[in-house]
Amino acid sequence: MEFDYFSWIILPILIFISRLGDVTMATLRHIFISKGFKKIVQILGFFEVLIWLIAMRQGFNHLDNIACFIAWASGFSAGTYLGMYIEERLAMGAQIIRIISPGNFEELIQAFKIRNQGVTIVDGQGAMGPVKLIFTIVKRSDKQEIIQLIHTHAPNAFYSIED
């Protein structure tokens, strides 16, 4: 009996690639919905479902093939990761960075001013005494630069980031 390359190699690869594509689109679609990108969501949704239907049909036609099951699950997992990776690389939107500085914060504020980064400063009381709460809103693409400024000019500060 001859080995069936199509059923055991080519078809699982095609199912994997299909799932990779449709789940990547689904992940991006969910992220874009939360950010309010209405037009692109419709297009992604159309192609996501189209690809899913094609992959699902092949999966149902080969329920006796464990390689197709593994390809289906692997494509789902890889598609989720790829969608998150792409969204991270696109870096769309803004984030708020909250900085709590127990010590000298003037250098950090000056560094923000040099780069024309707006800040709001509030006096606060921490467990160990007075602190400054510094709020700034940044483009996601600029986040790493701001974090580097925090590490350089206020190394003892605590910060959190939120979309």
Side-chain angles (χ1 to χ4, degrees):
M1 185 161 190
E2 202 170 308
F3 183 73
D4 185 0
Y5 284 99
F6 180 79
S7 293
W8 292 96
I9 296 176
I10 296 171
L11 183 61
I13 289 172
L14 292 173
I15 289 173
F16 173 83
I17 291 169
S18 297
R19 289 300 287 162
L20 178 70
D22 89 88
V23 175
T24 298
M25 287 183 202
T27 303
L28 290 171
R29 183 175 55 82
H30 286 282
I31 292 166
F32 291 157
I33 285 170
S34 70
K35 295 187 182 294
F37 294 103
K38 294 177 183 176
K39 292 181 181 173
I40 187 110
V41 167
Q42 298 171 33
I43 296 166
L44 285 174
F46 174 82
F47 287 106
E48 171 198 342
V49 170
L50 183 64
I51 294 168
W52 182 86
L53 286 170
I54 293 167
M56 178 59 86
R57 180 164 188 250
Q58 291 305 313
F60 271 113
N61 285 343
H62 299 88
L63 290 174
D64 58 339
N65 186 339
I66 190 70
C68 291
F69 283 40
I70 292 169
W72 184 275
S74 299
F76 182 88
S77 177
T80 302
Y81 177 81
L82 182 60
M84 291 171 40
Y85 177 79
I86 290 170
E87 191 277 334
E88 183 179 287
R89 303 303 291 171
L90 291 173
M92 297 183 311
Q95 294 181 311
I96 185 167
I97 301 180
R98 286 181 294 273
I99 307 157
I100 301 172
S101 178
N104 188 1
F105 65 93
E106 287 83 10
E107 278 185 40
L108 179 61
I109 301 303
Q110 191 59 37
F112 284 165
K113 286 181 181 179
I114 289 171
R115 92 176 285 288
N116 293 320
Q117 181 66 45
V119 295
T120 300
I121 305 166
V122 179
D123 290 324
Q125 186 64 37
M128 305 300 235
V131 295
K132 294 291 184 184
L133 302 169
I134 304 164
F135 298 90
T136 187
I137 297 174
V138 300
K139 293 179 185 174
R140 286 187 62 210
S141 57
D142 296 337
K143 177 178 74 173
Q144 288 304 325
E145 184 180 341
I146 297 299
I147 290 171
Q148 186 59 44
L149 287 174
I150 295 168
H151 288 296
T152 301
H153 298 289
N156 294 329
F158 169 81
Y159 66 90
S160 63
I161 302 169
E162 182 179 317
D163 279 339

